[in-house]
Amino acid sequence: MKNLSCLLVVFLIGISDVSAQELRCNISISSSKIQGANRNVFRTMQADLYEFMNNRKWTDHVYDIDERIECNIFIQLDEQVSSDEFKGSMTVQLRRPVYGASYETTLLNIKDKDFHVRYVEFQPMEFNETSNSDNLTSLMAYYAYIILGMDYDSFAPEGGTEYFQKAQQIVNNSQNSIYEGWKAYESERNRYWLIENILNRSYSGFRQCIYRYHRLGLDKMGDRLEEGRSEIAESLRLLQRLFRNRPNLYIFPIFFDAKADELVNIFSGSYPDEKNRVLAILNEIDPSNGTKYEKIKEDNTFNLNNE
């Protein structure tokens, strides 16, 4: 009987290795600004959030271990409001491998300044899909679906719609929440407006850009450098047309916070006409990074296997 039990454990471990969850999410929590607190609480919180993000099944798809989506979440705790209530910020980063290369591109690099949650050590973390009964799990689930949606959009035209809709449902469920970040009137740059911009059909050029930039652009650059780079340049025209109609959309800083440095690397190895066209687009729709984009005028070769 003992040998049979051992075999069963090995079998179950083997199954878990074959069918992995979707995310490989690294969680970091900094609590250095909170003095006199029990540090074990923050270590337990980090472990619980890691398990919540990585061991929950977020889709109906089957992933291998090496297919899991790489992402990072950094939580900066600034204030302990009460024994189980914390405020701070949360940075979410998403990376995606480029086909046929060792290079990984950043898809998302977003800072959420409205991290305000309750956390009770050793209490089970339960996410309710029909209401915001726990702001911490609702917030984490929201970004899990944003991560999935962005990743799927980069591989297929509007491939992430199902997951963006799930993120939108969390926003809808949170309209009566006492916590900030979920409502339209609170800010022009929060969770409400992020998902509203992504799913708004009038702004579909953004999602078209995500697909064209990554699947038709970066994924081709390993074998067909100039063709892939040209597709990326054309993807920026989609953003330019959108910008001329709605210049203040939240999705613009979201895109360029992730892509500004990469765009410099990609187009500094281009030919003069393409450099000038891309520079004109970037200076129009992302003037805050204008000094950075001046480096495109330099001549540097972008190597997907050495970045």
Side-chain angles (χ1 to χ4, degrees):
M1 181 64 72
K2 182 178 181 181
N3 290 336
L4 181 61
S5 298
C6 291
L7 286 173
L8 180 60
V9 170
V10 171
F11 175 72
L12 291 174
I13 291 173
I15 289 178
S16 66
D17 286 341
V18 170
S19 179
Q21 309 307 95
E22 299 87 351
L23 303 181
R24 183 181 286 113
C25 184
N26 301 304
I27 305 285
S28 299
I29 296 179
S30 174
S31 58
S32 58
K33 293 184 178 181
I34 300 178
Q35 302 298 319
N38 177 5
R39 316 319 292 183
N40 288 330
V41 171
F42 307 123
R43 286 188 284 269
T44 307
M45 181 192 295
Q46 181 170 305
D48 283 348
L49 292 179
Y50 179 90
E51 183 168 344
F52 179 80
M53 295 296 285
N54 291 295
N55 293 341
R56 182 182 177 88
K57 194 83 171 103
W58 297 101
T59 76
D60 295 328
H61 300 159
V62 176
Y63 279 66
D64 290 333
I65 290 291
D66 59 358
E67 293 177 333
R68 298 177 80 174
I69 298 169
E70 292 277 353
C71 51
N72 298 305
I73 292 179
F74 173 72
I75 297 171
Q76 173 67 58
L77 296 177
D78 297 325
E79 180 182 357
Q80 184 169 1
V81 180
S82 66
S83 61
D84 64 353
E85 187 177 359
F86 305 90
K87 297 180 72 173
S89 62
M90 175 173 162
T91 301
V92 180
Q93 298 173 328
L94 166 63
R95 297 190 306 274
R96 170 203 190 276
V98 172
Y99 179 76
S102 59
Y103 179 73
E104 289 189 341
T105 180
T106 300
L107 263 169
L108 192 66
N109 183 22
I110 182 172
K111 185 174 183 178
D112 188 321
K113 297 180 180 179
D114 293 317
F115 187 85
H116 185 181
V117 301
R118 290 188 179 275
Y119 172 77
V120 179
E121 192 175 15
F122 307 123
Q123 180 174 298
M125 297 189 68
E126 297 180 356
F127 168 57
N128 189 327
E129 294 187 355
T130 61
S131 69
N132 185 342
S133 56
D134 174 17
N135 200 55
L136 179 56
T137 55
S138 290
L139 201 160
M140 301 301 288
Y142 170 87
Y143 280 112
Y145 287 126
I146 292 292
I147 287 167
L148 286 163
M150 291 292 290
D151 186 75
Y152 276 69
D153 261 18
S154 75
F155 285 103
E158 300 192 358
T161 298
E162 175 184 356
Y163 309 108
F164 288 137
Q165 288 173 341
K166 288 180 180 291
Q168 187 177 56
Q169 186 58 51
I170 294 173
V171 170
N172 293 340
N173 294 341
S174 302
Q175 291 309 293
N176 293 323
S177 173
I178 63 172
Y179 299 105
E180 293 185 352
W182 300 112
K183 304 175 189 70
Y185 63 83
E186 293 173 338
S187 170
E188 294 181 349
R189 297 186 176 186
N190 63 10
R191 287 166 233 136
Y192 175 93
W193 288 112
L194 174 60
I195 196 61
E196 191 279 339
N197 285 187
I198 290 173
L199 285 176
N200 192 318
R201 297 304 303 172
S202 298
Y203 315 147
S204 61
F206 171 76
R207 296 180 67 187
Q208 294 171 23
C209 171
I210 294 298
Y211 171 71
R212 192 166 187 175
Y213 184 110
H214 295 92
R215 193 73 187 99
L216 304 183
L218 277 178
D219 283 346
K220 284 186 178 179
M221 286 186 67
D223 296 327
R224 290 167 284 178
L225 175 63
E226 292 188 3
E227 183 179 340
R229 191 172 58 209
S230 177
E231 286 287 350
I232 292 173
E234 289 303 311
S235 75
L236 295 176
R237 290 185 184 276
L238 295 169
L239 292 186
Q240 184 184 40
R241 287 196 288 271
L242 179 56
F243 178 84
R244 288 175 175 177
N245 290 321
R246 293 297 303 273
N248 297 318
L249 294 177
Y250 186 26
I251 46 180
F252 289 123
I254 292 297
F255 181 86
F256 289 110
D257 283 349
K259 294 301 184 184
D261 290 329
E262 183 173 83
L263 286 165
V264 171
N265 291 334
I266 289 172
F267 288 103
S268 61
S270 182
Y271 50 87
D273 285 350
E274 188 172 64
K275 284 186 177 186
N276 290 335
R277 289 198 303 272
V278 167
L279 265 173
I281 294 172
L282 294 176
N283 285 328
E284 177 182 352
I285 60 181
D286 186 33
S288 62
N289 281 314
T291 302
K292 183 178 294 185
Y293 294 138
E294 285 297 305
K295 296 178 182 178
I296 289 176
K297 295 178 180 179
E298 302 173 5
D299 291 321
N300 295 306
T301 301
F302 181 56
N303 189 328
L304 289 172
N305 289 308
N306 291 321
E307 286 299 311

Coordinates of all heavy atoms in Angstrom, one line a residue, residues 121-175:
E121 N -3.5 37.6 7.3 CA -2.5 36.5 7.2 C -3.2 35.1 7.4 O -4.0 35.0 8.4 CB -1.4 36.7 8.2 CG -0.2 35.8 7.9 CD 1.0 36.1 8.8 OE1 0.7 36.8 9.8 OE2 2.1 35.6 8.6
F122 N -2.9 34.2 6.6 CA -3.4 32.8 6.6 C -4.9 32.6 6.3 O -5.4 31.5 6.3 CB -3.2 32.2 8.0 CG -1.7 32.3 8.5 CD1 -1.4 32.9 9.6 CD2 -0.7 31.7 7.7 CE1 -0.1 33.0 10.1 CE2 0.6 31.8 8.1 CZ 0.9 32.5 9.3
Q123 N -5.5 33.7 5.9 CA -6.9 33.6 5.4 C -6.9 33.3 3.9 O -6.2 33.9 3.1 CB -7.7 34.9 5.6 CG -9.1 34.9 5.2 CD -9.8 36.2 5.6 OE1 -10.0 36.5 6.7 NE2 -10.2 37.0 4.5
P124 N -7.7 32.3 3.5 CA -7.7 31.9 2.1 C -8.0 33.1 1.2 O -8.9 33.9 1.5 CB -8.8 30.8 2.0 CG -8.9 30.3 3.4 CD -8.6 31.5 4.3
M125 N -7.3 33.1 0.0 CA -7.6 34.2 -1.0 C -8.6 33.6 -2.0 O -8.3 32.7 -2.7 CB -6.3 34.5 -1.7 CG -5.2 35.1 -0.7 SD -3.8 35.8 -1.6 CE -4.6 37.2 -2.4
E126 N -9.8 34.2 -1.9 CA -10.9 33.7 -2.8 C -11.3 34.9 -3.7 O -11.7 35.9 -3.2 CB -12.0 33.2 -1.9 CG -11.6 32.0 -1.1 CD -12.8 31.5 -0.3 OE1 -13.9 32.1 -0.3 OE2 -12.6 30.4 0.4
F127 N -11.4 34.6 -5.0 CA -11.8 35.5 -6.0 C -13.2 35.2 -6.4 O -13.6 34.1 -6.8 CB -10.9 35.5 -7.2 CG -11.4 36.2 -8.4 CD1 -11.7 37.6 -8.3 CD2 -11.6 35.6 -9.6 CE1 -12.2 38.3 -9.4 CE2 -12.1 36.3 -10.7 CZ -12.4 37.6 -10.6
N128 N -14.1 36.2 -6.3 CA -15.5 36.1 -6.7 C -15.7 36.7 -8.0 O -15.5 37.9 -8.2 CB -16.4 36.8 -5.6 CG -17.9 36.5 -5.8 OD1 -18.3 36.4 -6.9 ND2 -18.6 36.5 -4.7
E129 N -16.1 35.9 -9.0 CA -16.3 36.4 -10.4 C -17.5 37.3 -10.6 O -17.7 37.9 -11.6 CB -16.3 35.2 -11.3 CG -15.0 34.5 -11.4 CD -15.0 33.4 -12.5 OE1 -16.1 33.2 -13.1 OE2 -14.0 32.7 -12.7
T130 N -18.4 37.4 -9.6 CA -19.6 38.1 -9.8 C -19.7 39.4 -8.9 O -20.6 40.2 -9.0 CB -20.9 37.2 -9.4 OG1 -20.8 36.8 -8.1 CG2 -20.9 36.0 -10.4
S131 N -18.7 39.6 -8.0 CA -18.7 40.8 -7.2 C -17.3 41.0 -6.7 O -16.5 40.1 -6.6 CB -19.7 40.6 -6.0 OG -19.2 39.7 -5.1
N132 N -17.1 42.3 -6.3 CA -15.8 42.6 -5.7 C -15.9 42.5 -4.2 O -16.1 43.5 -3.4 CB -15.4 44.0 -6.1 CG -14.0 44.4 -5.5 OD1 -13.4 43.7 -4.7 ND2 -13.4 45.4 -6.1
S133 N -15.9 41.2 -3.7 CA -16.0 41.0 -2.3 C -14.6 41.1 -1.6 O -14.5 41.1 -0.4 CB -16.6 39.6 -2.0 OG -15.9 38.6 -2.7
D134 N -13.5 41.1 -2.4 CA -12.2 41.2 -1.9 C -11.4 42.0 -2.9 O -11.1 41.5 -4.0 CB -11.6 39.8 -1.6 CG -10.1 39.9 -1.2 OD1 -9.6 40.9 -0.8 OD2 -9.4 38.8 -1.4
N135 N -11.0 43.2 -2.5 CA -10.3 44.1 -3.5 C -9.0 43.5 -3.9 O -8.6 43.8 -5.1 CB -10.2 45.5 -3.0 CG -10.0 46.5 -4.0 OD1 -10.8 46.6 -5.0 ND2 -8.9 47.3 -4.0
L136 N -8.3 42.8 -3.1 CA -7.0 42.3 -3.4 C -7.1 41.3 -4.5 O -6.4 41.4 -5.5 CB -6.3 41.7 -2.2 CG -4.9 41.1 -2.4 CD1 -4.0 42.1 -3.0 CD2 -4.3 40.6 -1.1
T137 N -7.9 40.3 -4.4 CA -8.1 39.3 -5.4 C -8.7 39.8 -6.7 O -8.3 39.4 -7.8 CB -8.9 38.0 -4.9 OG1 -10.1 38.5 -4.4 CG2 -8.1 37.3 -3.8
S138 N -9.6 40.8 -6.6 CA -10.2 41.4 -7.7 C -9.1 42.1 -8.5 O -9.1 42.1 -9.8 CB -11.3 42.4 -7.4 OG -12.4 41.7 -6.9
L139 N -8.3 42.8 -7.8 CA -7.2 43.6 -8.5 C -6.2 42.7 -9.2 O -5.8 42.9 -10.3 CB -6.5 44.4 -7.4 CG -5.7 45.7 -7.8 CD1 -5.5 46.6 -6.6 CD2 -4.3 45.3 -8.4
M140 N -5.8 41.6 -8.5 CA -4.9 40.6 -9.1 C -5.5 39.9 -10.3 O -4.8 39.7 -11.3 CB -4.4 39.6 -8.0 CG -3.7 40.2 -6.8 SD -2.2 41.2 -7.2 CE -1.1 39.9 -7.6
A141 N -6.7 39.5 -10.2 CA -7.4 38.9 -11.3 C -7.6 39.8 -12.5 O -7.4 39.4 -13.6 CB -8.8 38.4 -10.8
Y142 N -7.9 41.1 -12.2 CA -8.0 42.0 -13.3 C -6.7 42.1 -14.1 O -6.7 42.0 -15.3 CB -8.3 43.4 -12.7 CG -8.2 44.6 -13.7 CD1 -9.3 44.9 -14.4 CD2 -7.0 45.3 -13.8 CE1 -9.2 46.0 -15.3 CE2 -6.9 46.4 -14.7 CZ -8.0 46.7 -15.5 OH -7.9 47.7 -16.4
Y143 N -5.6 42.2 -13.4 CA -4.3 42.3 -14.2 C -3.9 40.9 -14.8 O -3.2 40.9 -15.8 CB -3.2 42.8 -13.3 CG -3.3 44.4 -13.2 CD1 -3.6 45.0 -12.0 CD2 -3.1 45.1 -14.3 CE1 -3.8 46.4 -12.0 CE2 -3.2 46.5 -14.3 CZ -3.5 47.1 -13.1 OH -3.7 48.5 -13.1
A144 N -4.3 39.8 -14.2 CA -4.1 38.5 -14.8 C -4.8 38.5 -16.2 O -4.2 38.0 -17.2 CB -4.6 37.4 -13.9
Y145 N -6.0 39.0 -16.2 CA -6.7 39.0 -17.5 C -6.2 40.0 -18.5 O -6.2 39.8 -19.7 CB -8.2 39.2 -17.3 CG -8.9 38.0 -16.7 CD1 -9.7 38.1 -15.5 CD2 -8.8 36.7 -17.3 CE1 -10.3 37.0 -14.9 CE2 -9.4 35.6 -16.7 CZ -10.1 35.7 -15.6 OH -10.7 34.6 -15.0
I146 N -5.7 41.2 -18.0 CA -5.0 42.1 -18.8 C -3.8 41.5 -19.5 O -3.5 41.7 -20.7 CB -4.7 43.4 -18.1 CG1 -6.0 44.2 -17.7 CG2 -3.8 44.3 -18.9 CD1 -6.7 44.8 -18.8
I147 N -3.0 40.8 -18.6 CA -1.8 40.2 -19.1 C -2.1 39.1 -20.2 O -1.5 39.1 -21.3 CB -1.1 39.5 -17.9 CG1 -0.4 40.5 -17.1 CG2 0.0 38.5 -18.4 CD1 0.1 40.0 -15.7
L148 N -3.1 38.3 -19.9 CA -3.5 37.3 -20.9 C -4.0 37.9 -22.2 O -3.7 37.5 -23.3 CB -4.6 36.4 -20.3 CG -4.2 35.4 -19.3 CD1 -5.4 34.9 -18.5 CD2 -3.4 34.2 -19.9
G149 N -4.8 39.0 -22.1 CA -5.4 39.6 -23.2 C -4.3 40.2 -24.1 O -4.3 40.1 -25.3
M150 N -3.4 40.9 -23.5 CA -2.3 41.5 -24.3 C -1.4 40.5 -25.0 O -1.0 40.6 -26.1 CB -1.4 42.4 -23.3 CG -2.1 43.6 -22.8 SD -2.4 44.9 -24.1 CE -0.7 45.4 -24.5
D151 N -1.1 39.4 -24.3 CA -0.3 38.3 -24.8 C -1.0 37.7 -26.0 O -0.5 37.5 -27.1 CB 0.0 37.3 -23.8 CG 0.9 36.2 -24.3 OD1 2.2 36.5 -24.4 OD2 0.5 35.1 -24.6
Y152 N -2.3 37.4 -25.9 CA -3.1 36.7 -26.9 C -3.2 37.7 -28.1 O -3.2 37.3 -29.3 CB -4.4 36.3 -26.4 CG -4.4 34.9 -25.8 CD1 -3.8 34.7 -24.6 CD2 -5.0 33.8 -26.4 CE1 -3.8 33.5 -23.9 CE2 -5.0 32.6 -25.8 CZ -4.4 32.4 -24.5 OH -4.4 31.2 -23.9
D153 N -3.4 39.0 -27.9 CA -3.6 40.0 -28.9 C -2.3 40.0 -29.8 O -2.4 40.4 -31.0 CB -3.9 41.4 -28.4 CG -5.4 41.7 -28.4 OD1 -6.2 40.8 -28.6 OD2 -5.7 42.9 -28.3
S154 N -1.2 39.8 -29.2 CA 0.1 39.9 -29.9 C 0.3 38.7 -30.8 O 1.2 38.8 -31.7 CB 1.3 40.0 -28.9 OG 1.6 38.8 -28.3
F155 N -0.4 37.7 -30.7 CA -0.3 36.5 -31.5 C -1.4 36.3 -32.6 O -1.2 35.6 -33.6 CB -0.2 35.2 -30.7 CG 1.1 35.0 -29.9 CD1 1.2 35.3 -28.6 CD2 2.2 34.6 -30.6 CE1 2.4 35.1 -27.9 CE2 3.4 34.4 -30.0 CZ 3.5 34.7 -28.6
A156 N -2.5 36.9 -32.3 CA -3.7 36.8 -33.2 C -4.5 38.1 -33.2 O -4.6 38.7 -32.1 CB -4.6 35.6 -32.9
P157 N -5.1 38.5 -34.3 CA -5.9 39.8 -34.3 C -7.0 39.7 -33.3 O -7.9 38.8 -33.4 CB -6.4 39.8 -35.8 CG -5.5 39.0 -36.6 CD -5.0 37.9 -35.7
E158 N -7.0 40.6 -32.3 CA -7.9 40.7 -31.3 C -8.1 39.3 -30.6 O -9.2 39.0 -30.1 CB -9.3 41.2 -31.8 CG -9.1 42.6 -32.4 CD -10.5 43.3 -32.7 OE1 -11.5 42.7 -32.4 OE2 -10.4 44.4 -33.1
G159 N -7.0 38.6 -30.5 CA -7.1 37.2 -29.9 C -7.4 37.3 -28.4 O -7.7 36.2 -27.8
G160 N -7.2 38.4 -27.7 CA -7.4 38.5 -26.3 C -8.7 39.0 -25.8 O -8.9 39.2 -24.6
T161 N -9.7 39.1 -26.7 CA -11.0 39.7 -26.4 C -11.6 39.0 -25.2 O -12.2 39.7 -24.3 CB -11.9 39.6 -27.6 OG1 -11.3 40.4 -28.7 CG2 -13.3 40.2 -27.3
E162 N -11.6 37.7 -25.2 CA -12.3 36.9 -24.1 C -11.7 37.4 -22.7 O -12.5 37.5 -21.8 CB -12.1 35.5 -24.3 CG -12.6 34.6 -23.2 CD -12.3 33.1 -23.4 OE1 -11.8 32.7 -24.4 OE2 -12.6 32.3 -22.4
Y163 N -10.5 37.6 -22.7 CA -9.8 37.9 -21.4 C -10.0 39.4 -21.0 O -10.1 39.7 -19.8 CB -8.4 37.5 -21.4 CG -8.3 36.0 -21.9 CD1 -7.8 35.7 -23.1 CD2 -8.8 35.0 -21.1 CE1 -7.8 34.4 -23.6 CE2 -8.8 33.7 -21.5 CZ -8.3 33.4 -22.8 OH -8.3 32.1 -23.2
F164 N -10.0 40.2 -22.0 CA -10.3 41.6 -21.8 C -11.7 41.8 -21.3 O -12.0 42.6 -20.4 CB -10.0 42.5 -23.0 CG -8.6 42.7 -23.4 CD1 -8.2 42.5 -24.7 CD2 -7.7 43.0 -22.5 CE1 -6.9 42.7 -25.1 CE2 -6.3 43.2 -22.8 CZ -5.9 43.0 -24.1
Q165 N -12.6 41.0 -21.8 CA -14.0 41.1 -21.4 C -14.1 40.7 -19.9 O -14.9 41.2 -19.2 CB -14.9 40.3 -22.3 CG -15.1 40.9 -23.7 CD -15.8 40.0 -24.6 OE1 -15.9 38.7 -24.4 NE2 -16.4 40.5 -25.7
K166 N -13.3 39.7 -19.5 CA -13.3 39.3 -18.1 C -12.8 40.4 -17.2 O -13.3 40.6 -16.1 CB -12.5 38.0 -18.0 CG -13.2 36.7 -18.5 CD -12.3 35.5 -18.3 CE -12.9 34.3 -18.9 NZ -14.1 33.9 -18.1
A167 N -11.8 41.1 -17.7 CA -11.2 42.2 -16.9 C -12.3 43.3 -16.8 O -12.5 43.9 -15.8 CB -10.0 42.8 -17.6
Q168 N -13.0 43.5 -17.9 CA -14.1 44.5 -17.9 C -15.2 44.2 -16.9 O -15.8 45.0 -16.2 CB -14.7 44.7 -19.3 CG -15.7 45.9 -19.4 CD -16.2 46.1 -20.8 OE1 -16.7 45.2 -21.4 NE2 -16.0 47.3 -21.3
Q169 N -15.5 42.9 -16.8 CA -16.5 42.4 -15.9 C -16.1 42.7 -14.4 O -16.9 43.0 -13.6 CB -16.8 40.9 -16.1 CG -17.9 40.4 -15.2 CD -19.2 41.1 -15.5 OE1 -19.6 41.3 -16.7 NE2 -19.9 41.6 -14.5
I170 N -14.8 42.5 -14.1 CA -14.3 42.9 -12.8 C -14.5 44.3 -12.5 O -14.9 44.7 -11.4 CB -12.8 42.4 -12.7 CG1 -12.7 40.9 -12.8 CG2 -12.2 42.9 -11.4 CD1 -11.3 40.4 -12.8
V171 N -14.2 45.2 -13.5 CA -14.5 46.6 -13.4 C -15.9 46.9 -13.1 O -16.3 47.7 -12.2 CB -14.0 47.4 -14.6 CG1 -14.4 48.9 -14.6 CG2 -12.5 47.3 -14.7
N172 N -16.8 46.3 -13.9 CA -18.3 46.4 -13.6 C -18.7 46.0 -12.2 O -19.5 46.7 -11.6 CB -19.0 45.7 -14.7 CG -18.8 46.2 -16.1 OD1 -18.4 47.3 -16.3 ND2 -19.1 45.4 -17.1
N173 N -18.1 44.9 -11.8 CA -18.4 44.4 -10.4 C -17.9 45.3 -9.3 O -18.4 45.2 -8.2 CB -17.8 43.0 -10.2 CG -18.4 41.9 -11.1 OD1 -19.5 42.1 -11.7 ND2 -17.7 40.8 -11.3
S174 N -17.0 46.2 -9.7 CA -16.4 47.0 -8.7 C -16.9 48.5 -8.6 O -16.3 49.3 -7.9 CB -14.8 47.1 -8.9 OG -14.3 45.7 -8.9
Q175 N -18.0 48.7 -9.3 CA -18.5 50.1 -9.3 C -19.0 50.6 -8.0 O -19.1 51.8 -7.8 CB -19.6 50.2 -10.4 CG -19.0 50.1 -11.8 CD -17.8 51.1 -12.1 OE1 -18.0 52.3 -12.1 NE2 -16.6 50.5 -12.2

